[in-house]
């Protein structure tokens, strides 16, 4: 019998935890509960159980040996509340299962590093808590709100930057290779699969965790500068007591945190006029008690 030496990465057993029976049961339950559309293979969530009975042993073996290759995601464009389109990448149900299993194992590793001001897609945190925190800041006198627009953030995440951050915490090469393959999986639209060299499209269970890992750099920079802020995924508002302080944080994103030159900011007084603003935060803060509610303005 020939015994193959385990590498340090394989010895860590992270992939074994991903495909562990209990972890997969929880992941399967979550995928079924979330329902969702079929991916490029047209296999519906209702068909997942029978599909796994036939194919899971082979998929599991490929995951454990580090040779599993995800299928392309299906492109879906949905309208955004404030205009424009949001591009989703819908994975196959099998890839959603694997991504969910990855998420459940990786989340406890990265969660302790996340900011207290981050509320999106985290266990025990929700939009209501973000709204409450924002209103408390405004009630305390921080009535200049900088609406940081990380334009097309999910479409432009740098893969090398992402993999570097993941490698700081993950020592299983199979897991890192699998995540890179998910990042680089092609996107199908109109029957054609186009390669992707950047971004982590919304639509899969892993994307929210990856976005929080990247955006923690923004959180830490804002904390370093002493700003009060609330972030929900890529929607971030900084609350300031005076307009000058608001102007000072505008260039945090493109300058300090490498999110790209298309990041923009706008300062305004809370609360917004009922006719203005379409963002999550604009809607959330309209009920704040503040008599001086002028129009949107750039500093």
């Amino acid at each position: 019998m020939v015994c193959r030496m385990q590498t340090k990465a394989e010895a860590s057993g992270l992939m074994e935890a991903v495909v562990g029976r209990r972890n997969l049961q929880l992941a399967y339950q979550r995928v079924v509960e979330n329902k969702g559309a079929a991916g490029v293979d047209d296999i519906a969530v209702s068909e997942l159980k029978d599909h796994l009975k036939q194919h899971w042993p082979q998929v599991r073996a490929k995951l454990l040996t580090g040779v599993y290759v995800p299928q392309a995601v299906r492109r879906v464009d949905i309208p955004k509340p404030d205009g424009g389109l949001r591009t989703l990448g819908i994975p196959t149900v099998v890839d959603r299962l694997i991504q969910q299993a990855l998420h459940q194992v990786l989340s406890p590793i990265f969660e302790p590093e996340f900011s207290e001001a981050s509320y999106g897609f985290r266990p025990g945190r929700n939009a209501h808590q973000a709204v409450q925190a924002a209103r408390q800041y405004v009630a305390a006198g921080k009535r200049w709100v900088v609406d940081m627009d990380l334009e097309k953030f999910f479409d432009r995440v740098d893969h090398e930057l992402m993999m570097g951050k993941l490698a700081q915490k993950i020592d299983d090469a199979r897991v890192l290779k699998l995540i890179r393959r998910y990042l680089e999986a092609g996107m199908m639209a109109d029957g054609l699969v186009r390669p992707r060299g950047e971004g982590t499209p919304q639509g899969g269970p892993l994307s929210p965790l990856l976005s929080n890992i990247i955006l923690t750099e923004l959180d830490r920079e804002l904390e370093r500068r002493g700003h009060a802020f609330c972030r929900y995924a890529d929607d971030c508002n900084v609350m300031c007591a005076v307009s000058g302080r608001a102007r000072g944080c505008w260039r945090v994103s493109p300058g300090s945190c490498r999110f790209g030159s298309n990041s923009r900011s706008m300062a305004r007084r809370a609360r917004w006029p009922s006719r203005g603003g379409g963002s999550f935060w604009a809607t959330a803060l309209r009920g704040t008690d503040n008599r001086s509610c002028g129009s949107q303005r750039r500093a």
Side-chain angles (χ1 to χ4, degrees), residues 35-109:
K35 300 179 181 179
V40 296
D41 59 2
D42 290 325
I43 297 176
V45 172
S46 60
E47 302 172 286
L48 177 58
K49 185 175 182 179
D50 289 338
H51 182 83
L52 292 175
K53 287 179 180 178
Q54 182 176 356
H55 297 284
W56 180 249
Q58 297 93 327
V59 173
R60 183 179 186 275
K62 289 180 179 180
L63 289 169
L64 288 172
T65 54
V67 298
Y68 178 80
V69 178
Q71 295 193 62
V73 297
R74 182 168 62 86
R75 176 170 179 160
V76 176
D77 293 322
I78 61 174
K80 297 167 67 173
D82 55 350
L85 294 174
R86 175 178 288 111
T87 298
L88 304 182
I90 308 300
T92 65
V93 288
V94 171
D95 281 322
R96 293 211 293 271
L97 174 71
I98 297 170
Q99 286 193 30
Q100 181 62 38
L102 277 168
H103 185 286
Q104 291 166 183
V105 170
L106 298 181
S107 182
I109 296 175

Side-chain angles (χ1 to χ4, degrees), residues 22 35 37 46 54 62 91 120 126 143-144 195 268 290:
R22 179 57 179 161
K35 300 179 181 179
S46 60
Q54 182 176 356
K62 289 180 179 180
N126 55 50
R143 296 181 176 181
W144 276 92
R268 64 187 90 189
N290 183 2

